[in-house]
Amino acid sequence: MGDTTVTELEDRTQAAAPDPVTASDRPPLLHRLRAPRRPRLWFEILLIAVSYWTYSLIRNAVPEQRAEALRNADWIWNAEHTLGAAFEHSVNEAVNSVTWLIVGMNYYYATLHFVVTLGVLVWLYRSHPGRYAATRTVLFATTGVALLGYYLYPLAPPRLMTGGNFIDTVLVHQTWGSMASGDLKNMSNQYAAMPSMHIGWSLWCGLTIFALASLPWVRILGLLYPVLTLVVIVATANHFWLDAVGGLLCLAFGYTVARLWYGALPHALPRLAPAPAPRRTLLPMRTLLPMRKR
Protein backbone atom coordinates (compact mmCIF):
# COMPACT_ATOMS: atom_id res chain seq x y z
CA MET A 1 0.00 0.00 0.00
CA GLY A 2 2.86 2.34 0.95
CA ASP A 3 4.73 1.58 -2.29
CA THR A 4 1.60 2.36 -4.33
CA THR A 5 1.19 5.74 -2.61
CA VAL A 6 4.83 6.68 -3.20
CA THR A 7 4.57 5.71 -6.87
CA GLU A 8 1.47 7.88 -7.33
CA LEU A 9 3.24 10.84 -5.71
CA GLU A 10 6.21 10.39 -8.03
CA ASP A 11 3.94 10.35 -11.10
CA ARG A 12 2.14 13.51 -9.98
CA THR A 13 5.38 15.34 -9.27
CA GLN A 14 6.86 14.45 -12.65
CA ALA A 15 3.64 15.45 -14.46
CA ALA A 16 3.43 18.82 -12.71
CA ALA A 17 7.10 19.75 -13.14
CA PRO A 18 7.94 21.42 -16.47
CA ASP A 19 10.54 19.86 -18.67
CA PRO A 20 14.04 21.16 -18.02
CA VAL A 21 15.31 23.70 -20.55
CA THR A 22 18.00 22.29 -22.77
CA ALA A 23 19.98 23.81 -25.62
CA SER A 24 18.02 21.70 -28.10
CA ASP A 25 14.75 23.30 -26.93
CA ARG A 26 15.85 26.76 -28.06
CA PRO A 27 15.56 27.78 -31.73
CA PRO A 28 18.87 28.61 -33.43
CA LEU A 29 20.19 32.13 -32.87
CA LEU A 30 19.88 33.02 -36.55
CA HIS A 31 16.24 31.91 -36.53
CA ARG A 32 15.53 34.08 -33.48
CA LEU A 33 17.15 37.10 -35.11
CA ARG A 34 15.12 36.65 -38.29
CA ALA A 35 11.79 36.07 -36.57
CA PRO A 36 9.33 39.02 -36.64
CA ARG A 37 9.03 40.66 -33.25
CA ARG A 38 7.37 43.64 -31.67
CA PRO A 39 9.70 46.64 -32.14
CA ARG A 40 10.79 48.52 -29.04
CA LEU A 41 10.13 52.25 -29.30
CA TRP A 42 13.22 53.47 -27.45
CA PHE A 43 15.48 51.23 -29.51
CA GLU A 44 13.96 52.32 -32.82
CA ILE A 45 14.25 56.03 -32.00
CA LEU A 46 17.86 55.56 -30.95
CA LEU A 47 18.63 53.45 -34.02
CA ILE A 48 17.13 55.97 -36.44
CA ALA A 49 18.88 58.91 -34.79
CA VAL A 50 22.28 57.24 -34.69
CA SER A 51 21.94 55.85 -38.21
CA TYR A 52 20.98 59.19 -39.75
CA TRP A 53 23.75 60.98 -37.85
CA THR A 54 26.26 58.40 -39.10
CA TYR A 55 24.92 58.61 -42.65
CA SER A 56 25.16 62.43 -42.68
CA LEU A 57 28.62 62.34 -41.14
CA ILE A 58 29.99 59.89 -43.72
CA ARG A 59 28.20 61.53 -46.65
CA ASN A 60 29.54 64.96 -45.79
CA ALA A 61 33.01 63.63 -44.99
CA VAL A 62 33.45 62.31 -48.54
CA PRO A 63 35.88 64.62 -50.39
CA GLU A 64 33.92 66.94 -52.66
CA GLN A 65 36.26 66.42 -55.63
CA ARG A 66 34.78 69.34 -57.52
CA ALA A 67 36.67 68.83 -60.77
CA GLU A 68 35.72 65.16 -61.02
CA ALA A 69 32.13 65.90 -60.02
CA LEU A 70 31.79 68.46 -62.80
CA ARG A 71 33.33 66.07 -65.34
CA ASN A 72 30.86 63.40 -64.30
CA ALA A 73 27.98 65.87 -64.62
CA ASP A 74 29.07 66.68 -68.17
CA TRP A 75 29.23 62.97 -68.95
CA ILE A 76 25.72 62.38 -67.55
CA TRP A 77 24.35 65.34 -69.49
CA ASN A 78 25.95 64.14 -72.74
CA ALA A 79 24.69 60.59 -72.12
CA GLU A 80 21.14 61.87 -71.69
CA HIS A 81 21.46 63.85 -74.93
CA THR A 82 22.62 60.67 -76.65
CA LEU A 83 19.56 58.87 -75.30
CA GLY A 84 17.33 61.73 -76.47
CA ALA A 85 16.08 62.29 -72.91
CA ALA A 86 17.87 65.43 -71.71
CA PHE A 87 14.73 67.23 -70.57
CA GLU A 88 15.92 68.62 -67.22
CA HIS A 89 16.72 72.10 -68.52
CA SER A 90 13.29 72.55 -70.14
CA VAL A 91 11.48 71.43 -66.98
CA ASN A 92 13.68 73.67 -64.83
CA GLU A 93 12.92 76.78 -66.91
CA ALA A 94 9.22 76.05 -67.34
CA VAL A 95 8.48 75.47 -63.65
CA ASN A 96 10.69 78.36 -62.56
CA SER A 97 8.46 80.74 -64.53
CA VAL A 98 5.56 79.97 -62.16
CA THR A 99 6.69 81.50 -58.88
CA TRP A 100 4.18 79.91 -56.51
CA LEU A 101 4.81 76.48 -58.02
CA ILE A 102 8.59 76.53 -57.85
CA VAL A 103 8.57 78.00 -54.35
CA GLY A 104 6.28 75.18 -53.24
CA MET A 105 8.64 72.67 -54.85
CA ASN A 106 11.61 74.17 -53.02
CA TYR A 107 9.90 73.58 -49.68
CA TYR A 108 8.70 70.16 -50.84
CA TYR A 109 12.30 69.19 -51.59
CA ALA A 110 13.50 70.39 -48.20
CA THR A 111 10.80 68.92 -45.95
CA LEU A 112 8.73 66.02 -47.27
CA HIS A 113 11.82 63.90 -47.79
CA PHE A 114 12.02 63.59 -44.00
CA VAL A 115 8.41 64.13 -42.93
CA VAL A 116 6.83 61.45 -45.13
CA THR A 117 9.58 58.91 -44.44
CA LEU A 118 9.26 59.31 -40.68
CA GLY A 119 5.47 59.25 -41.00
CA VAL A 120 5.58 55.89 -42.81
CA LEU A 121 7.93 54.49 -40.16
CA VAL A 122 5.53 55.56 -37.39
CA TRP A 123 2.57 54.07 -39.27
CA LEU A 124 4.43 50.77 -39.71
CA TYR A 125 5.37 50.71 -36.04
CA ARG A 126 1.78 51.21 -34.92
CA SER A 127 -0.18 49.24 -37.53
CA HIS A 128 2.24 46.65 -38.93
CA PRO A 129 4.66 45.75 -36.14
CA GLY A 130 5.37 42.31 -37.60
CA ARG A 131 6.58 43.92 -40.85
CA TYR A 132 8.31 46.91 -39.31
CA ALA A 133 11.80 45.47 -38.88
CA ALA A 134 11.96 44.03 -42.39
CA THR A 135 10.68 47.22 -44.02
CA ARG A 136 13.05 49.34 -41.94
CA THR A 137 15.89 47.06 -43.03
CA VAL A 138 15.07 47.85 -46.66
CA LEU A 139 15.38 51.58 -45.93
CA PHE A 140 18.62 51.22 -44.00
CA ALA A 141 20.27 48.98 -46.59
CA THR A 142 19.19 51.36 -49.36
CA THR A 143 20.69 54.33 -47.56
CA GLY A 144 23.86 52.47 -46.64
CA VAL A 145 24.69 51.39 -50.18
CA ALA A 146 24.05 54.95 -51.40
CA LEU A 147 27.14 56.02 -49.47
CA LEU A 148 29.23 53.96 -51.87
CA GLY A 149 27.82 55.97 -54.75
CA TYR A 150 28.71 59.26 -53.09
CA TYR A 151 32.26 58.06 -52.49
CA LEU A 152 32.92 56.32 -55.81
CA TYR A 153 31.04 58.67 -58.14
CA PRO A 154 31.04 62.33 -57.08
CA LEU A 155 28.51 64.18 -59.18
CA ALA A 156 27.56 67.85 -59.40
CA PRO A 157 23.83 68.61 -59.58
CA PRO A 158 22.63 70.38 -62.74
CA ARG A 159 22.40 73.77 -60.99
CA LEU A 160 26.17 73.71 -60.35
CA MET A 161 27.22 72.74 -63.86
CA THR A 162 29.50 75.22 -65.59
CA GLY A 163 27.79 76.49 -68.70
CA GLY A 164 24.68 74.41 -68.11
CA ASN A 165 22.46 77.48 -67.69
CA PHE A 166 20.36 75.73 -65.06
CA ILE A 167 18.53 77.90 -62.54
CA ASP A 168 19.22 77.42 -58.84
CA THR A 169 15.63 77.98 -57.79
CA VAL A 170 16.48 78.36 -54.09
CA LEU A 171 18.86 81.25 -54.78
CA VAL A 172 16.63 82.94 -57.35
CA HIS A 173 13.51 82.87 -55.17
CA GLN A 174 15.37 83.22 -51.87
CA THR A 175 13.69 80.23 -50.26
CA TRP A 176 14.99 77.53 -47.99
CA GLY A 177 14.90 74.38 -50.04
CA SER A 178 18.29 72.74 -50.32
CA MET A 179 21.04 71.97 -47.85
CA ALA A 180 23.52 72.52 -50.67
CA SER A 181 22.38 76.00 -51.67
CA GLY A 182 22.91 79.45 -50.29
CA ASP A 183 24.17 79.83 -46.73
CA LEU A 184 23.71 76.10 -46.02
CA LYS A 185 26.08 74.88 -48.72
CA ASN A 186 28.99 74.50 -46.31
CA MET A 187 26.97 72.07 -44.17
CA SER A 188 26.50 69.45 -46.88
CA ASN A 189 28.50 67.79 -49.63
CA GLN A 190 27.33 69.55 -52.76
CA TYR A 191 28.65 66.84 -55.04
CA ALA A 192 26.75 63.85 -53.64
CA ALA A 193 23.98 63.76 -56.22
CA MET A 194 24.32 60.13 -57.36
CA PRO A 195 22.26 58.24 -56.29
CA SER A 196 19.24 60.34 -55.38
CA MET A 197 17.97 59.36 -51.96
CA HIS A 198 15.01 61.65 -52.49
CA ILE A 199 13.94 59.03 -55.01
CA GLY A 200 15.19 56.06 -52.99
CA TRP A 201 13.27 57.12 -49.89
CA SER A 202 10.13 58.34 -51.68
CA LEU A 203 9.89 55.13 -53.70
CA TRP A 204 10.33 53.12 -50.48
CA CYS A 205 7.45 55.12 -48.97
CA GLY A 206 5.29 54.74 -52.05
CA LEU A 207 5.75 50.99 -52.43
CA THR A 208 5.22 50.42 -48.70
CA ILE A 209 1.98 52.42 -48.71
CA PHE A 210 0.77 50.72 -51.89
CA ALA A 211 1.49 47.23 -50.53
CA LEU A 212 0.05 47.69 -47.04
CA ALA A 213 -2.61 50.42 -47.09
CA SER A 214 -6.23 49.26 -47.16
CA LEU A 215 -7.87 52.32 -48.75
CA PRO A 216 -7.54 52.46 -52.57
CA TRP A 217 -7.07 56.24 -52.71
CA VAL A 218 -4.26 56.04 -50.15
CA ARG A 219 -2.54 53.38 -52.23
CA ILE A 220 -2.81 55.62 -55.31
CA LEU A 221 -1.30 58.54 -53.38
CA GLY A 222 1.52 56.23 -52.38
CA LEU A 223 2.39 55.60 -56.01
CA LEU A 224 2.05 59.27 -56.95
CA TYR A 225 4.45 60.41 -54.24
CA PRO A 226 7.71 59.19 -55.90
CA VAL A 227 6.47 60.40 -59.29
CA LEU A 228 5.93 63.91 -57.93
CA THR A 229 9.29 63.73 -56.17
CA LEU A 230 10.97 62.99 -59.50
CA VAL A 231 9.37 66.09 -61.00
CA VAL A 232 10.53 68.18 -58.03
CA ILE A 233 14.18 67.08 -58.06
CA VAL A 234 14.39 67.77 -61.79
CA ALA A 235 12.49 71.08 -61.71
CA THR A 236 14.68 72.44 -58.89
CA ALA A 237 17.84 71.34 -60.78
CA ASN A 238 19.02 69.27 -57.82
CA HIS A 239 19.29 66.01 -59.81
CA PHE A 240 19.45 64.48 -63.25
CA TRP A 241 16.83 61.86 -63.95
CA LEU A 242 19.65 59.31 -64.11
CA ASP A 243 20.30 60.04 -60.43
CA ALA A 244 16.78 58.72 -59.85
CA VAL A 245 17.76 55.50 -61.62
CA GLY A 246 20.65 55.22 -59.16
CA GLY A 247 18.20 55.61 -56.26
CA LEU A 248 16.00 52.90 -57.76
CA LEU A 249 18.94 50.49 -57.97
CA CYS A 250 19.84 51.19 -54.34
CA LEU A 251 16.26 50.43 -53.31
CA ALA A 252 16.37 47.15 -55.26
CA PHE A 253 19.49 46.26 -53.27
CA GLY A 254 17.66 47.08 -50.02
CA TYR A 255 14.75 44.79 -50.88
CA THR A 256 17.20 42.04 -51.82
CA VAL A 257 18.89 42.28 -48.43
CA ALA A 258 15.56 42.08 -46.60
CA ARG A 259 14.40 39.17 -48.77
CA LEU A 260 17.56 37.18 -48.06
CA TRP A 261 17.52 37.91 -44.33
CA TYR A 262 13.82 37.40 -43.57
CA GLY A 263 13.07 34.83 -46.26
CA ALA A 264 10.24 36.96 -47.70
CA LEU A 265 9.52 40.48 -48.82
CA PRO A 266 8.28 42.72 -45.99
CA HIS A 267 4.65 42.85 -47.12
CA ALA A 268 4.47 39.03 -47.12
CA LEU A 269 5.35 38.78 -43.42
CA PRO A 270 2.59 38.64 -40.77
CA ARG A 271 1.12 42.03 -39.87
CA LEU A 272 1.30 41.40 -36.14
CA ALA A 273 4.37 40.08 -34.41
CA PRO A 274 3.73 36.76 -32.63
CA ALA A 275 3.55 36.90 -28.87
CA PRO A 276 6.85 35.95 -27.24
CA ALA A 277 6.99 32.40 -25.94
CA PRO A 278 6.66 32.14 -22.15
CA ARG A 279 9.98 31.84 -20.41
CA ARG A 280 10.64 28.41 -18.95
CA THR A 281 12.10 28.35 -15.48
CA LEU A 282 15.04 26.12 -14.67
CA LEU A 283 14.06 23.91 -11.75
CA PRO A 284 16.49 22.90 -9.03
CA MET A 285 18.06 19.52 -9.68
CA ARG A 286 16.53 18.02 -6.56
CA THR A 287 13.06 18.82 -7.90
CA LEU A 288 13.73 16.86 -11.07
CA LEU A 289 14.98 13.77 -9.25
CA PRO A 290 12.41 11.08 -8.31
CA MET A 291 11.21 11.16 -4.76
CA ARG A 292 13.01 8.68 -2.61
CA LYS A 293 10.95 5.87 -1.21
CA ARG A 294 10.55 5.93 2.47
Side-chain angles (χ1 to χ4, degrees):
M1 181 68 177
D3 291 344
T4 302
T5 303
V6 170
T7 302
E8 291 177 353
L9 288 174
E10 291 177 357
D11 293 341
R12 292 176 183 175
T13 301
Q14 292 175 1
D19 295 334
V21 177
T22 63
S24 60
D25 292 331
R26 301 190 183 101
L29 175 62
L30 189 60
H31 177 77
R32 297 201 302 271
L33 292 175
R34 288 176 169 177
R37 66 188 69 187
R38 179 79 187 184
R40 292 167 291 180
L41 181 59
W42 68 267
F43 176 79
E44 294 302 328
I45 293 176
L46 180 63
L47 181 62
I48 292 171
V50 172
S51 298
Y52 184 73
W53 176 80
T54 304
Y55 164 76
S56 299
L57 184 67
I58 296 175
R59 179 181 185 271
N60 298 333
V62 174
E64 289 196 344
Q65 301 171 300
R66 180 176 183 274
E68 184 178 355
L70 290 173
R71 285 196 301 270
N72 289 337
D74 289 336
W75 188 92
I76 289 285
W77 189 230
N78 291 331
E80 290 187 352
H81 275 285
T82 302
L83 294 172
F87 53 78
E88 289 91 342
H89 190 270
S90 299
V91 175
N92 177 232
E93 284 194 333
V95 178
N96 183 70
S97 64
V98 184
T99 302
W100 66 267
L101 181 58
I102 194 60
V103 168
M105 287 189 174
N106 285 341
Y107 290 123
Y108 179 112
Y109 184 88
T111 59
L112 291 192
H113 179 55
F114 304 102
V115 172
V116 176
T117 303
L118 288 175
V120 172
L121 284 171
V122 171
W123 171 61
L124 285 170
Y125 179 88
R126 292 175 58 89
S127 301
H128 299 267
R131 297 163 177 154
Y132 176 89
T135 314
R136 182 248 291 145
T137 298
V138 174
L139 182 65
F140 279 35
T142 298
T143 306
V145 76
L147 292 173
L148 291 177
Y150 303 145
Y151 182 83
L152 298 174
Y153 196 77
L155 179 66
R159 57 186 173 74
L160 293 182
M161 287 180 63
T162 54
N165 296 322
F166 284 93
I167 302 168
D168 189 332
T169 59
V170 170
L171 290 179
V172 170
H173 298 280
Q174 299 181 348
T175 57
W176 178 71
S178 173
M179 287 295 289
S181 293
D183 296 334
L184 298 175
K185 63 183 179 182
N186 294 324
M187 298 173 59
S188 179
N189 184 357
Q190 298 188 76
Y191 304 110
M194 173 66 85
S196 168
M197 279 299 94
H198 272 75
I199 291 299
W201 288 15
S202 66
L203 193 55
W204 173 86
C205 292
L207 292 177
T208 300
I209 293 171
F210 179 77
L212 301 180
S214 56
L215 297 176
W217 66 269
V218 175
R219 300 178 71 196
I220 293 173
L221 286 179
L223 292 183
L224 289 177
Y225 175 53
V227 175
L228 183 55
T229 300
L230 176 61
V231 175
V232 168
I233 67 173
V234 170
T236 56
N238 279 294
H239 288 283
F240 298 99
W241 68 264
L242 280 177
D243 300 344
V245 175
L248 174 62
L249 293 176
C250 289
L251 183 64
F253 172 82
Y255 274 109
T256 301
V257 170
R259 174 68 175 80
L260 292 175
W261 181 254
Y262 291 97
L265 291 175
H267 70 273
L269 296 173
R271 185 176 71 87
L272 300 177
R279 299 185 63 180
R280 302 172 66 183
T281 306
L282 288 172
L283 297 176
M285 185 59 67
R286 64 176 180 272
T287 307
L288 302 177
L289 293 175
M291 295 181 61
R292 296 177 60 185
K293 297 180 180 180
R294 297 180 179 177

